[in-house]
Amino acid sequence: MEALMNEALERINRQYGIRLMLEKARPGCVFPKVDVMGCFVRFNPKIRSFLTLYNLMLQFPSIDSESVVFFRLYNLYLDCDAYPKAEVALDQLEKEVNQIIRKIDRRYVNSVTQSVELQMLFILLHESSHALFYYRPEIAAEFLADARRSVEEVQYLYTKGLPNRMKGYMDSMIPDGLPDDIRAEASKEQQEKMRQYGRQIFDFSGYLQSGGEGMLEEFACDHLAWQQALVQYMEKAGMLGEAVLRSNINLLLTLHILDYDKALRSIFTGEADEKQINLVRDAGIRHAAFRDCIWHFYKETDTNCHAADILRQSEERDERAKRLLLCSTFNHASEIIDLRDQPFRLPDEPRINVLEERFAEIEERILEFC
C-alpha cells in the first residue's frame, strides 16, 4: 500500500516539478498532515485499516459504528498519552473486530480494496495539493478559479431557500429503534436548531469574499486530488465506464468519512457551538463543490452522462453513514467527558510500542477483509 502512496507523490513531483516526500506520523495521528514549508506529508499506514472498517460497516447492516468509534478513541487517547484509557479502548476494539469476524462470511464480502485504495489516494493527494499550491501559485490559481465557480453555483441554489427534502434528510439521521416519543422530540429539536442556525449554516457567501480563501483552497485541493487519484487508479483498473462510475462513488464517500471523523473529534474534544456550525457549513459546501466538479466532468466528457447515476448511487451508499454521528454521541457520553479532561503528559515510548504491537495484531485481522 505504501508503494501506491509513493507512486502518487512521484506523479505529482514529475508533473509539477516539486519534491514532495512521505514522513512517518505520530502513532495516534490517523489521517495524513502536510508540512507545506518542508514539502512533506506525515503519513500513518493505519489509515488503511480505519477505512476498511468504515467500508465494511457500510456494506453490512449487521455491523454498527462501534468498531470505527473505538478505533478513533484508541488513537485519540494514544495521541494525548492516556495509555490506560487507550488500552481500554483497544480491548473494546478487539471485541468489536471479533464480532465482525463472526458475523461476516468472507465468501460474501465484496472486496473493499478498491474503495480503500482510492480513498487513501484522495486523502494523501488532498494534503499534498496544499504544498503544490504553495510552490506553484499558477497551478493554485487555476484550481481556485474552478472552486470559486462551484461555490457560486451552489450559493445561487440556496438563495431560493432550503431544499424541500431537508426535513426528511435530518429525520433520517435519528437512530432507528428509538421509542416514538424520543424520535419525535429529537426531530423537534433538530428542526428548532435548523430554524435557529439555518441561515448561518447555509450562508456560503463568506467563501467568496476576502478571508474565505482558506476554504476555497480546501475545495481546490479536493478537485486536484480527485483528478489525480482517478487517473492513477483508472490506469490500474481500466477505463471502462462502470469502473469510472464506481470509482467516483468511492471518492465521494471519502468526504463523508472525513466529515464524520471531524465531527466525532469535535464532539469528543468539546469544541464550541460556533465552531460546530462552521463545521456543518464547511462540510455542506465542500460536498456540494465536489459533486459539482464531478458533475461538470461528466457533462463535458461522457456522451451518456452518468452524472445523475453517480449522485443517486452515492446518496444510497451513504444512507447509513448519516446516522453514525448521533449513534456515537448517544453511546459514548462518558468517553466524551473523559477526553475533554485529559491533562498534558509526556510521551512514554515503551508503553506506546506495547500498545501499538497489540494494535498491529488486531489490524492484521481487519485487513484480511481486503
Side-chain angles (χ1 to χ4, degrees):
M1 191 65 72
E2 193 167 334
L4 189 71
M5 303 297 103
N6 279 314
E7 180 189 348
L9 290 191
E10 282 303 314
R11 285 169 174 258
I12 292 286
N13 291 337
R14 289 195 304 268
Q15 183 173 351
Y16 296 108
I18 64 173
R19 189 58 192 168
L20 272 164
M21 297 176 290
L22 287 180
E23 183 178 277
K24 186 177 180 180
R26 277 174 54 95
C29 185
V30 177
F31 286 92
K33 294 186 181 298
V34 65
D35 183 312
V36 171
M37 299 294 292
C39 207
F40 61 82
V41 180
R42 294 187 178 91
F43 180 77
N44 192 334
K46 68 171 60 172
I47 190 176
R48 184 185 180 196
S49 51
F50 180 80
L51 293 173
T52 298
L53 283 176
Y54 199 105
N55 281 274
L56 285 172
M57 179 182 56
L58 292 180
Q59 188 177 145
F60 293 95
S62 61
I63 301 176
D64 58 25
S65 63
E66 292 296 271
S67 61
V68 173
V69 171
F70 288 128
F71 192 111
R72 168 47 73 193
L73 279 172
Y74 165 67
N75 286 285
L76 282 171
Y77 281 126
L78 191 66
D79 208 35
C80 61
D81 302 298
Y83 307 119
K85 299 291 186 181
E87 187 171 9
V88 171
L90 198 56
D91 289 340
Q92 294 167 318
L93 173 62
E94 184 172 27
K95 289 178 183 177
E96 290 297 322
V97 171
N98 289 339
Q99 287 185 17
I100 290 172
I101 291 170
R102 287 194 296 271
K103 287 178 180 178
I104 297 177
D105 187 332
R106 284 183 174 82
R107 294 175 298 175
Y108 302 104
V109 177
N110 295 326
S111 174
V112 299
T113 302
Q114 178 180 334
S115 298
V116 170
E117 287 185 348
L118 270 166
Q119 289 156 8
M120 288 179 67
L121 280 174
F122 179 86
I123 293 168
L124 175 71
L125 288 165
H126 173 96
E127 294 301 319
S128 303
S129 298
H130 287 291
L132 170 63
F133 289 169
Y134 178 81
Y135 286 102
R136 295 291 303 273
E138 74 279 11
I139 304 298
E142 175 187 343
F143 281 91
L144 283 167
D146 287 341
R148 177 174 290 275
R149 176 190 53 76
S150 292
V151 173
E152 287 172 345
E153 291 189 8
V154 175
Q155 173 73 7
Y156 171 74
L157 290 176
Y158 279 98
T159 59
K160 302 176 182 178
L162 299 181
N164 291 330
R165 66 174 186 163
M166 183 57 66
K167 183 179 183 298
Y169 179 86
M170 292 174 64
D171 284 345
S172 75
M173 297 180 67
I174 301 173
D176 295 330
L178 292 177
D180 290 344
D181 58 335
I182 295 179
R183 288 185 60 85
E185 184 62 29
S187 177
K188 179 180 178 182
E189 184 176 341
Q190 287 187 151
Q191 296 307 312
E192 180 58 35
K193 287 286 187 183
M194 182 58 70
R195 282 190 291 272
Q196 184 178 356
Y197 297 117
R199 185 177 296 276
Q200 293 172 263
I201 290 172
F202 294 100
D203 179 10
F204 303 135
S205 60
Y207 303 118
L208 302 172
Q209 299 169 3
S210 177
E213 295 85 355
M215 279 307 299
L216 272 184
E217 182 172 321
E218 292 297 319
F219 310 149
C221 289
D222 284 344
H223 288 199
L224 190 145
W226 162 73
Q227 185 182 96
Q228 293 284 333
L230 192 62
V231 168
Q232 181 174 344
Y233 209 81
M234 286 301 94
E235 289 177 1
K236 176 180 177 180
M239 295 299 292
L240 298 175
E242 181 64 23
V244 177
L245 177 69
R246 301 311 308 172
S247 294
N248 276 296
I249 292 171
N250 287 328
L251 287 166
L252 278 167
L253 178 61
T254 314
L255 293 193
H256 286 273
I257 295 173
L258 293 171
D259 291 338
Y260 166 61
D261 191 71
K262 287 178 184 176
L264 187 65
R265 281 186 286 119
S266 77
I267 290 172
F268 280 156
T269 55
E271 291 179 350
D273 283 346
E274 181 61 32
K275 188 165 185 178
Q276 292 193 36
I277 292 170
N278 292 340
L279 187 148
V280 174
R281 181 171 56 239
D282 292 348
I285 189 62
R286 187 178 180 186
H287 280 256
F290 193 29
R291 287 194 301 268
D292 181 75
C293 170
I294 295 175
W295 173 272
H296 279 279
F297 167 77
Y298 271 92
K299 293 287 284 186
E300 293 171 5
T301 63
D302 185 357
T303 55
N304 296 319
C305 192
H306 287 86
D309 286 336
I310 286 177
L311 301 184
R312 177 180 56 78
Q313 291 188 40
S314 64
E315 285 289 334
E316 291 173 355
R317 182 169 180 185
D318 300 335
E319 188 68 25
R320 296 189 69 230
K322 293 184 294 186
R323 299 181 174 88
L324 295 181
L325 181 58
L326 278 175
C327 290
S328 301
T329 55
F330 274 120
N331 295 334
H332 297 284
S334 61
E335 287 96 333
I336 292 171
I337 295 170
D338 190 45
L339 266 168
R340 293 177 184 181
D341 294 335
Q342 288 301 312
F344 172 78
R345 301 178 180 88
L346 292 173
D348 184 337
E349 292 297 330
R351 295 198 70 179
I352 292 173
N353 292 338
V354 169
L355 287 167
E356 286 289 84
E357 285 175 10
R358 186 176 163 211
F359 171 80
E361 295 174 357
I362 300 171
E363 182 176 48
E364 187 175 350
R365 304 184 74 190
I366 297 171
L367 296 178
E368 288 176 3
F369 288 100
C370 286

